[in-house]
Amino acid sequence: MPKKTKCCCAPEVGEKLEEIKQAISYHLRFTLGLNPLTASKRNWWQACCMAVRDKITERYICTQKVHYETNTRRVYYLSLEYLMGRLLRNNLFNAGLFDLVKTALAQLGKDLDVLLEEEVDMGLGNGGLGRLAVCFLDSMATMEYPAIGYGIHYEFGLFSQTFVEGKQVESPDNWLEAGNPWQFMRSEYTQEVQLYGYVEHRMDESGFTVAHWVSSSKLLGVPWDIPIVGYGAHTINYLRLWESRASKEFDFSTFNAGGYVDAVREKAIGETVSKVLYPNDATESGKELRLVQQYFFVACSIQDILRRYRLRHANWEALTEKVVIQLNDTHPALAVLEFMREMLDVHRLSWEAAWALCQKIFAYTNHTLLPEALERWSVPLFMKVLPRHWEILCSINQRFLDKEVETRWPGDAQKRSELSIIEEGAPQYIRMAYLAVVASFSVNGVAAMHSELLKKNLFAPFYAIFPERFNNKTNGITPRRWLRACNPRLSQLLDATIGNTWTYQLDALKQLEPHAEDPAFQKAFMAIKQANKEDLCQIIQQKCGIEVSAEALFDVQVKRLHEYKRQHLNMLNILRLYQECLDNPNNTITPRVFIFGAKAAPGYTLAKNIIHAINAIGRKINADERIGGKIKVAFLPNYNVSLAEHIIPAADISEQISTAGKEASGTGNMKLALNGALTLGTLDGANVEIRDAVGAENSFIFGLTESEVESLKAKGYNPFEYYQSDPVLRRALDGMLAHGYTTSELEALTAVRHSLIKGGDPFLVLADFAAYCQAQDAVGLAYQDPSRWARMAILNVARMGHFSSDRTIAQYASQIWNLERVPVG
């Protein structure tokens, strides 16, 4: 952490309460135009946000002024999603204003904790990819790295999830319905984006052939900026989000002629592009919208980056010294083609000069080992939407095959086909991950195991050509949000025990280790866990109508719903335990509350069936008085960041049970362990590094390893053999068809069961079932020894220093971005 110097506009620790109170009152009266006596809780929250934003904005202006005057090198972080959550609590903690504002509001007769619940989660992200991006932005600002994030200003989030008779029902997530006090519109930096049309190749005045893209459609990208507050509020970077608008908002002549709908048709079409995060791509029109959406995002961002560079530079000689662009997964890979188009067609650089620049400014992070999850576009669709980019892509591919592939594997047509960015078939497909690898100077994975598998499997031939490009940067999380803000009770205990430097130097948690054996500290630690669990019990009652006991073990699996994450493995074990309780009501099983939180993509039918199946089993178990409440199942609807901030501090067990070799990293595993939950998981993603850090004796690892998974598949995996040979497994699976379920529930249960027995069980749920049950039994036994459990939980917290996003960003900055800190004095 750099030494901080005071700025004239930095928040003062001893800031007068009156100033904050006056600012809140001012915004309530004159910005919102409200009488304090009749203002709602949401109005008070808005006024509070605006008062805090005023303090942040002063520092934000200071930061940007320093960055401009020093003409600093910046990293530009391109991500299709940012899972922001709520900002007021986080901004108050990072700006050092939490206690001050809490006291000010109390003197105005308001409770800050109540007002915090008025904030709606920003609908800008979906899962781990977007949450990681926000952790990284937080760390970049905290560590004083000049950075700008780019994304899309979605009008609606992924969707709002409810359960109707156990089924997932999606409705619009209208997060902007009442406005957002944190954002600034920057209409002066609006960008124009071309689409569709055709390409003409004309001779210019110098006798060179130049491509001219004659587009048939244009959009405008209007930027909205959200300040990103680093810890201490010394550096405040920003996230720029693009809103799509029609280039022609309103056809007045058509309106006057009576064509009222047609007059606003172009406006409606233009706004569609940034309307929804991840539109359903099950249809051709959905696929086209996704492609247009991704191109719109990168076109606006690249134009903006080049505009900012040209403010200080007359030519392109210093571009690689001032600009580095990080692609967060394959979604922004179109930025490569847009950059080349700008250089070739707009700024008239030669191919060689443009490509040399390209390969020095782009870096690519891969986040998935699943080939089906890598971005691919059909060539006919791509040619229709982006005809000029198709030409550029073909040139990049041909040069790569002729220069790199042919040199290494001369005359090997199969190798050329294997490495081609354009995949042969009917139709042909464009492999965007290949484009990102070929165009970038750095390619990194996000956990040690993941990075090795990229080199070994997914990108093996590319690693043979470009070994120097590949590296690992294990993911991390920001302790500001994921401990200090979300778990204030534990944060206060840590501060009192080891000081507060852990907030920005997470390795300081190592000082907790000697306290793990101290009965008094164990008691205090577990009392905090109990209090957090009691809070979550109330939330479960409110959202699910289920009464649960805080004395039970809280077993938590919260993450995106996907087969490889194996929520249905968890479900089978719940059935096993339920059946054991029915067999022997007097058994001494450790009481458990199984807590789920997950959304399934609207077009992912099996994932939605898994949710329905878990809810069906939970309904049956929760109502069965014969087991005396020893097992409860709660599937909390509409899982988001704010809900995670309540669940994670209360968790005893962290379910990280993906099939080995399928999870890139995971960050939920880190958040849970940092808050004292013990990992129950496979050797997959960052689980491996977490086990190494906290100690195998302080976690519960089970199941097939990655090599064993591959070996089993190579031999020919037959899930039916496991069903036949394991009576416990067979009983659990057959229990899915037992009496007590509705017709609709049985349809979902049957579909999930079929996928496991006759559908091939692609993620080896049945193969890992027995080992998982043994690990669950070990968990139950350990929980019955309170001192042992407390010691394990404390050591998990103490040994999580490596998993700070500050460490990750420091590695990106020094090893990839060549970026230096710029203190703002």
Side-chain angles (χ1 to χ4, degrees):
M1 187 75 178
K3 182 180 179 181
K4 302 296 186 182
T5 54
K6 188 182 294 184
C7 168
C8 60
C9 52
E12 293 287 349
V13 174
E15 197 135 24
K16 293 180 180 179
L17 281 174
E18 287 304 314
E19 184 179 341
I20 296 293
K21 288 165 61 178
Q22 288 172 11
I24 295 171
S25 298
Y26 176 88
H27 282 294
L28 195 65
R29 290 176 181 274
F30 301 110
T31 305
L32 300 176
L34 294 167
N35 184 332
L37 296 176
T38 58
S40 66
K41 288 186 290 185
R42 181 164 184 85
N43 298 146
W44 278 96
W45 167 79
Q46 289 175 300
C48 183
C49 289
M50 292 171 182
V52 173
R53 189 185 71 177
D54 290 347
K55 302 304 300 180
I56 289 170
T57 302
E58 294 178 55
R59 192 62 189 175
Y60 164 69
I61 293 170
C62 282
T63 300
Q64 301 313 312
K65 179 174 181 287
V66 170
H67 289 176
Y68 179 80
E69 291 176 348
T70 57
N71 191 20
T72 187
R73 176 177 173 84
R74 276 193 181 97
V75 61
Y76 297 96
Y77 196 82
L78 271 60
S79 180
L80 198 60
E81 57 171 292
Y82 293 89
L83 198 59
M84 301 287 287
R86 299 169 175 172
L87 288 187
L88 179 55
R89 180 190 295 272
N90 203 66
N91 285 346
L92 287 173
F93 273 115
N94 277 5
L97 295 171
F98 189 89
D99 292 337
L100 188 67
V101 170
K102 187 176 180 68
T103 303
L105 282 168
Q107 293 186 8
L108 290 169
K110 300 298 171 183
D111 186 338
L112 174 59
D113 292 330
V114 172
L115 298 187
L116 288 170
E117 294 303 312
E118 290 297 309
E119 186 165 8
V120 176
D121 279 37
M122 291 185 174
L124 300 172
N126 172 32
L129 182 78
R131 187 53 238 171
L132 177 78
V134 178
C135 285
F136 280 5
L137 293 181
D138 174 278
S139 287
M140 289 180 222
T142 295
M143 303 182 75
E144 301 185 317
Y145 290 118
I148 297 174
Y150 281 107
I152 295 179
H153 189 267
Y154 301 104
E155 181 179 347
F156 296 96
L158 184 69
F159 58 82
S160 182
Q161 179 197 56
T162 55
F163 297 137
V164 176
E165 296 181 346
K167 295 180 182 179
Q168 172 178 291
V169 175
E170 305 101 19
S171 58
D173 174 18
N174 192 3
W175 70 280
L176 282 170
E177 185 175 19
N180 185 320
W182 300 111
Q183 60 188 10
F184 299 95
M185 180 192 281
R186 303 296 194 195
S187 57
E188 66 271 27
Y189 301 129
T190 295
Q191 305 295 335
E192 187 176 80
V193 177
Q194 297 176 254
L195 292 162
Y196 304 104
Y198 58 94
V199 181
E200 292 181 348
H201 293 270
R202 308 172 190 161
M203 196 80 73
D204 68 7
E205 61 278 3
S206 304
F208 293 100
T209 301
V210 179
H212 290 268
W213 181 10
V214 183
S215 62
S216 61
S217 179
K218 293 182 180 180
L219 293 173
L220 297 179
V222 179
W224 294 82
D225 290 355
I226 298 175
I228 304 297
V229 184
Y231 184 66
H234 288 265
T235 289
I236 298 183
N237 293 321
Y238 62 95
L239 170 62
R240 177 158 288 180
L241 303 169
W242 300 101
E243 177 192 359
S244 67
R245 294 185 182 176
S247 58
K248 185 178 179 183
E249 290 253 332
F250 184 75
D251 189 332
F252 194 69
S253 59
T254 302
F255 184 86
N256 280 340
Y260 306 124
V261 175
D262 289 341
V264 294
R265 187 182 304 279
E266 187 172 345
K267 172 180 169 62
I269 293 172
E271 291 174 351
T272 298
V273 173
S274 62
K275 184 73 72 176
V276 179
L277 167 66
Y278 293 144
N280 191 343
D281 61 355
T283 63
E284 286 305 310
S285 59
K287 290 183 176 69
E288 184 171 335
L289 178 56
R290 277 212 188 189
L291 177 58
V292 170
Q293 189 180 72
Q294 290 184 16
Y295 175 65
F296 164 78
F297 153 50
V298 301
C300 291
S301 303
I302 291 297
Q303 290 175 37
D304 197 52
I305 291 167
L306 298 180
R307 174 199 61 78
R308 187 176 294 103
Y309 172 82
R310 289 305 292 266
L311 290 174
R312 302 296 296 270
H313 302 275
N315 55 49
W316 303 103
E317 293 178 1
L319 183 69
T320 59
E321 298 172 14
K322 300 299 179 183
V323 172
V324 60
I325 300 173
Q326 186 70 43
L327 305 175
N328 191 32
D329 217 2
T330 52
H331 306 122
L334 283 166
V336 169
L337 301 179
E338 177 62 11
F339 175 82
M340 288 296 290
R341 186 192 70 82
E342 282 278 332
M343 293 293 104
L344 295 170
D345 300 354
V346 179
H347 302 289
R348 303 295 181 87
L349 270 67
S350 68
W351 179 277
E352 291 72 20
W355 186 242
L357 290 174
C358 180
Q359 288 192 303
K360 291 179 181 177
I361 66 170
F362 281 102
Y364 165 53
T365 300
N366 173 275
H367 284 277
T368 182
L369 289 163
L370 300 175
E372 64 270 22
L374 296 173
E375 215 74 26
R376 293 165 72 247
W377 298 112
S378 74
V379 168
L381 172 62
F382 199 90
M383 292 174 68
K384 171 187 173 183
V385 177
L386 301 171
R388 176 56 180 147
H389 297 74
W390 165 247
E391 293 182 347
I392 295 170
L393 178 87
C394 289
S395 295
I396 291 173
N397 191 47
Q398 193 63 48
R399 284 171 164 83
F400 166 66
L401 294 177
D402 291 346
K403 181 181 177 182
E404 305 291 353
V405 179
E406 186 64 27
T407 298
R408 187 166 183 86
W409 295 284
D412 191 335
Q414 182 177 348
K415 190 62 71 174
R416 287 176 68 94
S417 176
E418 179 186 346
L419 271 72
S420 175
I421 299 171
I422 302 167
E423 180 183 359
E424 293 303 322
Q428 295 175 307
Y429 276 88
I430 299 166
R431 298 185 272 211
M432 299 304 292
Y434 285 16
L435 172 64
V437 172
V438 169
S440 299
F441 68 87
S442 170
V443 178
N444 74 278
V446 291
M449 177 180 175
H450 170 236
S451 296
E452 288 305 309
L453 290 174
L454 288 180
K455 295 187 288 186
K456 173 186 170 185
N457 298 330
L458 192 64
F459 296 141
F462 292 97
Y463 176 61
I465 300 173
F466 308 119
E468 72 287 350
R469 295 186 184 182
F470 285 78
N471 60 93
N472 175 60
K473 299 291 173 282
T474 297
N475 284 343
I477 58 173
T478 168
R480 271 78 63 183
R481 181 182 285 267
W482 293 111
L483 185 47
R484 179 157 297 284
C486 80
N487 199 343
R489 294 184 180 107
L490 182 55
S491 297
Q492 289 168 12
L493 178 64
L494 298 180
D495 290 351
T497 306
I498 61 173
N500 66 2
T501 56
W502 61 266
T503 312
Y504 53 87
Q505 292 178 351
L506 199 57
D507 283 332
L509 290 178
K510 269 284 186 185
Q511 300 171 56
L512 277 181
E513 286 202 29
H515 299 277
E517 304 285 356
D518 179 4
F521 187 81
Q522 288 183 357
K523 182 178 179 180
F525 183 91
M526 295 309 294
I528 288 167
K529 179 66 74 173
Q530 187 73 9
N532 292 337
K533 290 167 73 172
E534 288 168 359
D535 289 347
L536 184 56
C537 286
Q538 294 181 25
I539 293 172
I540 291 172
Q541 175 69 49
Q542 293 165 4
K543 293 184 175 293
C544 304
I546 302 168
E547 186 175 339
V548 300
S549 170
E551 302 296 328
L553 185 155
F554 278 21
D555 184 308
V556 169
Q557 188 173 17
V558 286
K559 53 184 75 245
R560 180 169 56 91
L561 204 303
H562 195 288
E563 289 169 86
Y564 86 84
K565 295 179 184 289
R566 302 200 298 189
Q567 283 92 344
H568 44 347
L569 174 58
N570 190 346
M571 179 191 74
L572 285 177
N573 176 64
I574 293 171
L575 277 171
R576 173 191 71 103
L577 293 175
Y578 174 54
Q579 290 162 347
E580 288 181 3
C581 287
L582 291 177
D583 290 343
N584 180 13
N586 298 319
N587 70 9
T588 56
I589 182 176
T590 299
R592 286 174 169 86
V593 179
F594 291 95
I595 298 166
F596 293 88
K599 292 181 178 180
Y604 193 171
T605 303
L606 183 54
K608 295 173 79 169
N609 279 327
I610 291 172
I611 289 177
H612 194 186
I614 292 171
N615 278 327
I617 291 167
R619 180 192 60 77
K620 183 176 180 180
I621 291 174
N622 294 337
D624 196 332
E625 296 179 357
R626 294 174 295 174
I627 63 172
K630 291 177 181 177
I631 303 171
K632 294 283 187 175
V633 181
F635 205 130
L636 289 155
N638 207 35
Y639 180 65
N640 56 19
V641 173
S642 295
L643 193 51
E645 290 171 343
H646 291 291
I647 295 172
I648 288 171
D652 293 310
I653 278 292
S654 163
E655 295 264 6
Q656 309 297 330
I657 58 176
S658 55
T659 312
K662 300 303 180 185
E663 187 72 81
S665 170
T667 53
N669 46 10
M670 302 172 190
K671 295 162 194 165
L672 285 153
L674 182 61
N675 283 271
L678 308 187
T679 300
L680 169 61
T682 53
L683 288 174
D684 195 27
N687 292 354
V688 179
E689 291 163 81
I690 291 174
R691 177 206 60 177
D692 293 344
V694 306
E697 70 280 8
N698 297 310
S699 53
F700 301 91
I701 301 298
F702 75 94
L704 299 170
T705 64
E706 182 271 334
S707 60
E708 289 170 339
V709 166
E710 294 306 312
S711 176
L712 180 56
K713 287 186 173 181
K715 291 176 184 176
Y717 173 56
N718 183 357
F720 191 72
E721 292 177 358
Y722 289 83
Y723 170 77
Q724 286 184 310
S725 63
D726 186 341
V728 177
L729 172 61
R730 185 167 62 253
R731 187 183 180 195
L733 284 162
D734 291 348
M736 296 172 69
L737 305 182
H739 296 296
Y741 298 113
T742 68
T743 301
S744 176
E745 289 172 341
L746 278 172
E747 289 175 356
L749 287 158
T750 300
V752 176
R753 184 177 183 273
H754 181 273
S755 74
L756 295 172
I757 299 175
K758 296 182 179 180
D761 186 18
F763 297 103
L764 280 64
V765 170
L766 305 194
D768 268 344
F769 174 78
Y772 178 59
C773 292
Q774 290 174 7
Q776 277 281 7
D777 290 343
V779 166
L781 187 63
Y783 194 73
Q784 292 175 11
D785 184 344
S787 178
R788 178 191 172 197
W789 190 274
R791 178 183 181 278
M792 295 167 72
I794 293 165
L795 288 176
N796 266 263
V797 176
R799 295 173 178 175
M800 285 300 292
H802 177 72
F803 299 97
S804 169
S805 51
D806 296 347
R807 183 268 313 156
T808 312
I809 287 301
Q811 291 177 340
Y812 272 98
S814 63
Q815 299 170 20
I816 296 179
W817 301 335
N818 190 27
L819 199 64
E820 295 183 357
R821 295 175 176 181
V822 179
V824 180

